[in-house]
Structures are given as C-alpha cells and as structure tokens.
Amino acid sequence: MTQKEIAELKKRLTKNGCTFTRMCGCYVDGEKNVLAHLSETFLALEDDEFYKYLDIAKKTLSGSSGNQLLTLSFTNDAEQPGEMAPFLLALRDSGLKDESLLALFYEKIIDGCGLDGNYLILLFHDAYDVISKTTDGDQLDESSEVFSYLLCAICPVSLSKAALGYREERHTFLSRIRDWVVEAPETGFLFPAFHDRSTDIHSLLFYTRNTKHPQTQWMTEILGVVPKQTATEQKETFRQIITDGLEESEEKAKAVFNEVQRTLSAVVEEHQSVFGDGQQEITAQEMEEILLDSGVAQEQAKQIGQTYASSFEDQLPEGTHLLDHRALAAAEQQQKEKHLMQQVSLLNRRLQELEEGEQPAASGTNRRLLLRLPADKAAQTTTQTLEGKRYVLIPLAETEEAIIEPIEKKESPSHQE
C-alpha cells in the first residue's frame, strides 16, 4: 500500500467520518490469562471512550510506508484452506459477530505473539464505501466498491507510576491510586490490503512501532506472511556493509559513508524529478556506480557491491530508505569545510606571492594590507585561526576574484583597514 492509500483510510477516522461497525477485544495478563472481553457497537460508545479507541486505531495506521507500515504478502501455505488468510477472510465477513471465530483469533494471538506483560487485543471492523475517481483525481458521486476490512491493534497495558494526588474533599495530597493504563499499539495489521483503491485479499498492511526490532515472529508464525525489513533495518544494514567493506579507520570510513550519502541523495533527487513520487529500487550495479562517484576505489566498490547484492537478495531497498539525514547533514558540513580550506589555501598562496615581491620591512614596523570591499562583503568578513595562523575570511561567489593591494607605508591610526 502506498502512503496515499493509507492516508485515504486514516483521514476517515474522525467523529463524523468514522464508519466502524463493531469493536471487539480481550485483555490478557502476563501469564496469558484472558481477564476481560470487549464487544461494542463502536458508534454507540460514549465520547470519552470513542475518541480514545479511535486514537488507537489511527496510531495503527501511523508512520511511513516501508518503515512502520509494511505491505506483506501471504505465503502459499497461508492461503490454503484452514490457514490464516482464509481464516481472516471469514472473520472479516462475520463482521466480528461470530464468537467462535473471535475466540480462535484471540487464541492464535495469545499463543504466538510473544509479548511480555499485560496487553489488550483490539479488533475493529469497517466498511468503506469507496468513491470512484477520475484519472485526474476528481471524485465522482458513484461508489466503485465497498472495502470491508479488519484493523487489529495490540497495545501494552502497564501500571501507572506511583505519585501524589490532591484530594479535594480532604484538602491535602495523598498517594494516588495506581491504574492499569493502555499504551499506544506495539504492533497490529490491516486486512485485507487496500491496493489501487481496491481489496487485495492476498496481502495485508503490517504495523510496528519499533522499526529497529519489529515483531518478525508476528509476521511469520501468526500471520503467515513473507517478512520484510523496515527502512530502519535496511539503513543500518547498508551502513554496516559500507563501513566493513572500506577497511579504513573509523573516522575515515565515516567520512566516506557521508560522501556516499551525498551522492545517493543526488541520485534519488534526480529520479524523483523525472518520475515524481515513484520509488527507485537501488540495484547492486547502481550502488557500485554510486560508490565510485563517491571516491571509493574500484576494487573496494566491487566487493561492497557484491555484499550489497547478497544482503538484499530478497528485497532491494528503495533509495529513500537508505538515506541517513544525519550523515547527509555531516556530508554537507564536510563540503563547506573543504571549500573553506580551499579558499584559505588560495588566499595564503597569494599572500606569499605578495610577500616574496616586497622589500624586507624595517625592524619593528608592522606590514599591513588594505582590503577594499563593498559594504555587503565587509559585513560578512570574519577572522579565524587555522593551523596557528590568523586569516581574514571573505566569502566569494564562483565568479568573483579577490584583489589584494599591499601598503608599503605605515598608515595613520584613523585609517580604516
């Protein structure tokens, strides 16, 4: 599912737009005992409960596609009669009104989810009347289909912290009663997937709050889908491939990785300028070219490319998933510092050339330089000490050139430098 398709479903989750027909669930303790069951007509809930449950549903559709939200396909085995895909389809078609199916679903979750502590299993059923759209995005007044789906959220339940609370009737502060509080969803899913604004019973949308360590066991053992790495996992794997393959010092490898990020960012931007929002998967050959453009030696680039191919054999990462914004910021800073040092080096050479052409100054006489600058340049001029020497730093455009005029005689104290 694309970010746009996810947003289309999520934006309906408001007081006036929500069409959830039913909400069911059960509360489970750390010993896997079911402590309570829920079964509600969602739109009949009191406002306080309505908004809190609705917020949980919205959080299960929050995040970016490819990171917190993964579109996963069922395995062939999972689509066989009696397996998870047909079971979820039957559960959806029941509208959450079949108690035996609900009990079996809870049992599957409790036996396989692997969560520690207490947690709440919530199931929402919705029927979305999908309005047809023209190719330019304009809505029509007729429905193309009714998208019926389940939204499942698994929320940890924790005991609130001990604290003092004000007791108005006694006009004093006493220990507050500790409550079991439902937290934001840890994981969940939407079934079936909403592809091309239509029902896709062969896949689902999986949610994970922890993108570094998603509930992979959920994907494989409970839902029966083919797992995928999150963008966070792909990014970390990519960093490890680069740094291990460079065989450089940690500081040098970090600088090279930052430069690779800068080159990769340019490739992604170019692709998006041509194809719009279309995502670009980076092949091993393209990665090798990016490494070479970033200054990596050919032999190292080839070896890293081979490691990249084997690491992402089952799932090529999109270019945007490999971008590290901190590394990009560091790469930009490296470029600025490099440009600054080039300017300083150029200015230093010109000063040396002037000094070589001058007569030796008399003992005790300070040689001075007059820098004639426009007002805007003068305001931007700074001084900085580099390698034990003080320099005047003047920002120059690509087409500008510094003209330095030596002063042979000592100026009066009132003369402006």
Side-chain angles (χ1 to χ4, degrees):
M1 290 175 61
T2 65
Q3 201 73 44
K4 187 175 181 179
E5 290 163 342
I6 296 167
E8 182 175 349
L9 297 179
K10 185 180 177 183
K11 72 179 182 181
R12 301 172 53 257
L13 302 185
T14 63
K15 177 64 175 178
N16 296 325
C18 180
T19 57
F20 285 155
T21 59
R22 196 162 188 80
M23 179 189 73
C24 295
C26 70
Y27 175 38
V28 185
D29 67 12
E31 302 299 322
K32 297 187 176 184
N33 300 309
V34 177
L35 304 181
H37 285 90
L38 300 173
S39 183
E40 304 285 349
T41 300
F42 191 80
L43 298 180
L45 290 170
E46 295 293 332
D47 280 355
D48 286 348
E49 286 75 25
F50 178 93
Y51 285 113
K52 287 180 173 61
Y53 284 120
L54 192 65
D55 190 50
I56 290 174
K58 288 192 286 188
K59 282 185 169 63
T60 314
L61 293 176
S62 298
S64 58
S65 177
N67 202 26
Q68 290 88 356
L69 296 166
L70 302 171
T71 302
L72 306 176
S73 300
F74 288 103
T75 63
N76 291 332
D77 290 341
E79 293 199 284
Q80 299 303 312
E83 297 301 326
M84 197 61 181
F87 171 75
L88 288 176
L89 196 59
L91 185 62
R92 182 207 67 171
D93 292 343
S94 73
L96 301 183
K97 295 178 181 179
D98 189 321
E99 294 296 335
S100 61
L101 288 177
L102 284 169
L104 184 54
F105 176 77
Y106 300 147
E107 183 181 333
K108 290 176 180 290
I109 299 300
I110 294 169
D111 288 344
C113 73
L115 292 178
D116 296 327
N118 297 13
Y119 56 91
L120 177 64
I121 303 172
L122 286 176
L123 270 173
F124 304 86
H125 177 265
D126 191 14
Y128 170 33
D129 195 12
V130 183
I131 301 299
S132 298
K133 290 185 178 182
T134 60
T135 54
D136 58 2
D138 291 337
Q139 289 191 352
L140 302 176
D141 291 333
E142 58 184 26
S143 170
S144 58
E145 71 168 281
V146 175
F147 175 58
S148 176
Y149 67 94
L150 299 176
L151 183 63
C152 175
I154 311 297
C155 306
V157 179
S158 60
L159 195 61
S160 61
K161 294 181 179 179
L164 290 174
Y166 181 67
R167 301 290 181 85
E168 187 175 359
E169 69 279 5
R170 298 178 61 175
H171 303 288
T172 188
F173 288 89
L174 298 174
S175 178
R176 183 172 64 86
I177 298 174
R178 300 179 69 185
D179 297 319
W180 287 96
V181 180
V182 179
E183 299 179 3
E186 184 69 28
T187 188
F189 66 89
L190 178 145
F191 171 83
F194 189 53
H195 273 157
D196 296 327
R197 308 189 70 242
S198 186
T199 302
D200 178 7
I201 63 172
H202 302 292
S203 60
L204 56 76
L205 183 70
F206 181 82
Y207 168 78
T208 178
R209 182 168 63 171
N210 187 341
T211 56
K212 290 184 178 179
H213 304 287
Q215 294 283 342
T216 307
Q217 183 180 358
W218 248 86
M219 303 180 197
T220 57
E221 297 184 13
I222 298 180
L223 298 176
V225 291
V226 180
K228 287 183 181 179
Q229 284 187 319
T230 65
T232 301
E233 290 178 299
Q234 289 180 332
K235 189 185 305 178
E236 184 56 35
T237 300
F238 178 56
R239 175 188 287 275
Q240 200 64 45
I241 290 171
I242 299 295
T243 53
D244 289 350
L246 289 173
E247 299 179 355
E248 302 280 2
S249 66
E250 182 178 348
E251 184 177 351
K252 176 66 175 176
K254 183 178 180 181
V256 175
F257 178 77
N258 292 346
E259 184 61 24
V260 171
Q261 284 285 316
R262 201 169 71 88
T263 308
L264 175 62
S265 177
V267 171
V268 171
E269 287 180 8
E270 181 180 1
H271 178 84
Q272 290 179 341
S273 67
V274 176
F275 299 100
D277 293 334
Q279 297 299 317
Q280 176 189 16
E281 293 182 341
I282 305 297
T283 65
Q285 180 60 39
E286 289 169 330
M287 181 51 62
E288 189 173 333
E289 293 173 0
I290 289 171
L291 293 168
L292 292 172
D293 291 342
S294 303
V296 177
Q298 186 170 5
E299 186 60 32
Q300 285 185 324
K302 184 177 180 180
Q303 291 177 353
I304 293 173
Q306 291 172 348
T307 306
Y308 177 94
S310 60
S311 299
F312 297 113
E313 182 179 4
D314 297 329
Q315 178 191 355
L316 281 176
E318 297 174 4
T320 53
H321 292 175
L322 300 180
L323 291 178
D324 186 320
H325 295 292
R326 289 186 179 180
L328 276 174
E332 293 300 323
Q333 184 61 29
Q334 286 176 194
Q335 283 297 110
K336 290 179 182 178
E337 292 175 358
K338 182 179 178 181
H339 183 62
L340 177 61
M341 291 303 298
Q342 290 173 343
Q343 287 183 313
V344 169
S345 178
L346 177 61
L347 181 58
N348 193 34
R349 287 199 303 270
R350 292 185 177 178
L351 287 173
Q352 288 177 348
E353 291 171 0
L354 290 170
E355 288 176 353
E356 290 172 358
E358 290 179 356
Q359 295 297 324
S363 177
T365 301
N366 292 327
R367 288 178 296 174
R368 297 158 50 144
L369 293 175
L370 175 64
L371 304 177
R372 291 190 172 93
L373 302 171
D376 60 332
K377 287 293 183 185
Q380 300 177 53
T381 301
T382 60
T383 60
Q384 185 170 336
T385 301
L386 296 170
E387 299 179 354
K389 296 181 180 180
R390 296 191 70 215
Y391 296 93
V392 176
L393 304 180
I394 307 167
L396 297 177
E398 292 293 335
T399 57
E400 292 181 322
E401 182 179 357
I403 301 176
I404 302 173
E405 179 181 340
I407 301 176
E408 301 291 346
K409 60 183 180 179
K410 186 177 180 180
E411 301 288 348
S412 63
S414 61
H415 190 87
Q416 182 180 359
E417 292 187 41

